[in-house]
Amino acid sequence: MLLDLTLSPNRSLSRDHARLLVLVVGGLFLMGSIRFLVLGLWPVIPFMVADVVLLAWALRANYRSGGARERLVLADDALTVTRISPWGEEQVDVLEPYFTRVQIEETPLGDAILFLSARGRRLKVGGFLSAPERREVGAVIAGALMDYREARH
């Protein structure tokens, strides 16, 4: 096996730290809502509660999307790209490694988009990675494909 690469999204906060963040923000808003209640500004309180609920929902959605994975395996005359969605759905694409090319398209804003193309098919890989990570992954895949081609000659 020349390549076995698993790509997954980055998460800057762990789940425990995200829960702690929601609790701290909720506690601060609770103290603020008591002050608003004393001042007679009670209509503000539902919006503060909605802010905490939306923060918790956003963090939960962020972690759910973090379950996405892509696995690239180069072995036995096939480059297999397996995509696993956050909900566990699997999509498998098989490319012929001898004809597969790595393409990195640079955008005017400095982003890099990584594609694998072979015989009219074009797969976008690592969409959840940062631009430098995509460039690095592209170099690793290109190196593995070059090793595969050299081994065939």
Side-chain angles (χ1 to χ4, degrees), residues 1-3 72-80 95 97 148 152:
M1 185 175 329
L2 293 173
L3 177 71
L72 292 92
V73 176
L74 176 57
D76 301 329
D77 295 333
L79 174 61
T80 306
L95 300 172
Y148 172 84
R152 292 292 172 208

Side-chain angles (χ1 to χ4, degrees), residues 36-119:
F36 285 129
L37 189 62
V38 168
L39 293 173
L41 300 172
W42 62 266
V44 175
I45 296 172
F47 293 100
M48 295 177 82
V49 171
D51 282 344
V52 174
V53 169
L54 287 173
L55 175 65
W57 174 80
L59 288 171
R60 185 168 186 234
N62 180 31
Y63 279 101
R64 185 176 298 133
S65 70
R69 302 267 185 272
E70 290 181 0
R71 183 167 184 221
L72 292 92
V73 176
L74 176 57
D76 301 329
D77 295 333
L79 174 61
T80 306
V81 180
T82 305
R83 295 186 177 137
I84 302 169
S85 75
W87 301 276
E89 298 167 355
E90 215 174 87
Q91 176 189 353
V92 178
D93 292 297
V94 179
L95 300 172
E96 295 178 57
Y98 194 80
F99 298 104
T100 301
R101 301 290 179 252
V102 176
Q103 299 173 336
I104 298 177
E105 291 185 4
E106 300 286 340
T107 65
L109 297 176
D111 196 13
I113 303 171
L114 175 61
F115 291 100
L116 297 177
S117 61
R119 297 194 178 218

Side-chain angles (χ1 to χ4, degrees), residues 8-53:
S8 60
N10 299 318
R11 293 295 174 250
S12 57
L13 272 179
S14 68
R15 285 188 186 268
D16 293 337
H17 287 118
R19 286 185 190 113
L20 181 63
L21 176 67
V22 171
L23 288 174
V24 167
V25 170
L28 290 172
F29 279 23
L30 177 65
M31 290 188 299
S33 66
I34 291 170
R35 180 168 168 85
F36 285 129
L37 189 62
V38 168
L39 293 173
L41 300 172
W42 62 266
V44 175
I45 296 172
F47 293 100
M48 295 177 82
V49 171
D51 282 344
V52 174
V53 169

